[in-house]
Amino acid sequence: MSDELVFYTNPMSRGRIVRWMLEEVGQPYRTELLEWNTTMKSPEYKAINPMGKVPAIRHGSTVVTEAAAICTYLADAFPQAGLAPPPASRERGPYYRWLFFASGPLEQTVVNRSLGFVTPPERRIMAGYGVYEDVMDTLEKAVSVDAYLTGDRFTAADLYVGAHLGWGMQSGGIEKRPAFERFVARVTQRPAYARATQIDNSLMPQQPQRA
């Protein structure tokens, strides 16, 4: 059991991204379901992630946190799934670029916008994402060139970007653009996405029935 794959998550979190990735990888994994402010903050889990946040994975003795890092790790740990371009290939650069564009500029600008924070013009040089409009325009161009971000093959970058775009448009943090909607529709047609969504939806807290 030294290579056991354990997934720490909550269905109302970015863990949904990692669940989708795990279903794409197709390897057996065990889920540890954690609750906010209780088991997620326990000493046992903080030994896994001192931040007391999910998602995280443990693969044997290796612990990885942060959704983008987990997706990148899983793609490399299980190359047979074909979720990352070969290291020396032409597609490897765009693959890294868009994975970390989504985990950096995209997520930062969407969170700030959702919180009502607007970067003062004289301070924009301090913000890694610059301004919201530039991030959206850049991503729109990226998802409009080919079927996928690195060409004609689905990778972990498409999964990660698609998950952020889908959630962002649903929550209102990202404006709906036709190119975004087409991209999300394309990547969420995958069977692994359907399986992951079904699993996480089944783990959502049940709403009390009205009398």
Side-chain angles (χ1 to χ4, degrees):
M1 296 296 289
S2 62
D3 58 350
E4 182 186 25
L5 186 54
V6 184
F7 173 40
Y8 303 89
T9 190
N10 181 287
M12 298 176 66
S13 75
R14 291 172 179 82
R16 282 182 172 255
I17 302 173
V18 174
R19 173 84 69 184
W20 180 7
M21 184 67 184
L22 285 163
E23 290 299 316
E24 291 282 357
V25 164
Q27 295 295 311
Y29 66 92
R30 176 167 61 85
T31 299
E32 289 283 345
L33 193 63
L34 302 175
E35 299 298 331
W36 308 103
N37 299 319
T38 55
T39 51
M40 208 176 291
K41 304 298 183 183
S42 68
E44 292 80 10
Y45 182 63
K46 282 196 168 185
I48 299 293
N49 185 357
M51 293 284 287
K53 296 172 70 68
V54 292
I57 64 166
R58 179 170 54 79
H59 183 209
S61 61
T62 300
V63 171
V64 189
T65 66
E66 315 314 316
I70 295 170
C71 289
T72 306
Y73 174 85
L74 289 172
D76 287 342
F78 303 102
Q80 64 273 23
L83 295 168
S89 67
R90 176 181 59 83
E91 294 83 8
R92 193 74 173 194
Y95 168 76
Y96 283 137
R97 177 185 182 184
W98 298 115
L99 261 172
F100 298 106
F101 182 89
S103 67
L106 178 60
E107 182 161 0
Q108 290 171 15
T109 191
V110 169
V111 169
N112 281 354
R113 186 171 187 256
S114 299
L115 294 174
F117 176 79
V118 178
T119 306
E122 69 276 10
R123 298 291 184 89
R124 286 176 182 173
I125 195 172
M126 298 177 62
Y129 61 83
V131 294
Y132 173 85
E133 292 75 16
D134 287 348
V135 173
M136 295 299 113
D137 291 346
T138 299
L139 195 54
E140 181 177 25
K141 291 177 183 177
V143 300
S144 301
V145 176
D146 293 307
Y148 300 108
L149 289 164
T150 63
D152 60 0
R153 189 178 71 160
F154 177 87
T155 69
D158 300 292
L159 184 154
Y160 192 77
V161 170
H164 273 281
L165 284 176
W167 169 249
M169 289 191 292
Q170 180 182 342
S171 64
I174 294 176
E175 62 193 49
K176 293 182 178 180
R177 298 188 181 187
F180 293 163
E181 292 176 316
R182 287 193 297 269
F183 184 79
V184 171
R186 186 180 308 124
V187 299
T188 57
Q189 288 176 355
R190 299 178 64 80
Y193 174 81
R195 291 195 304 271
T197 300
Q198 183 177 22
I199 293 169
D200 277 326
N201 286 350
S202 73
L203 296 173
M204 290 286 286
Q206 298 298 310
Q207 297 295 325
Q209 294 184 352
R210 294 181 180 179

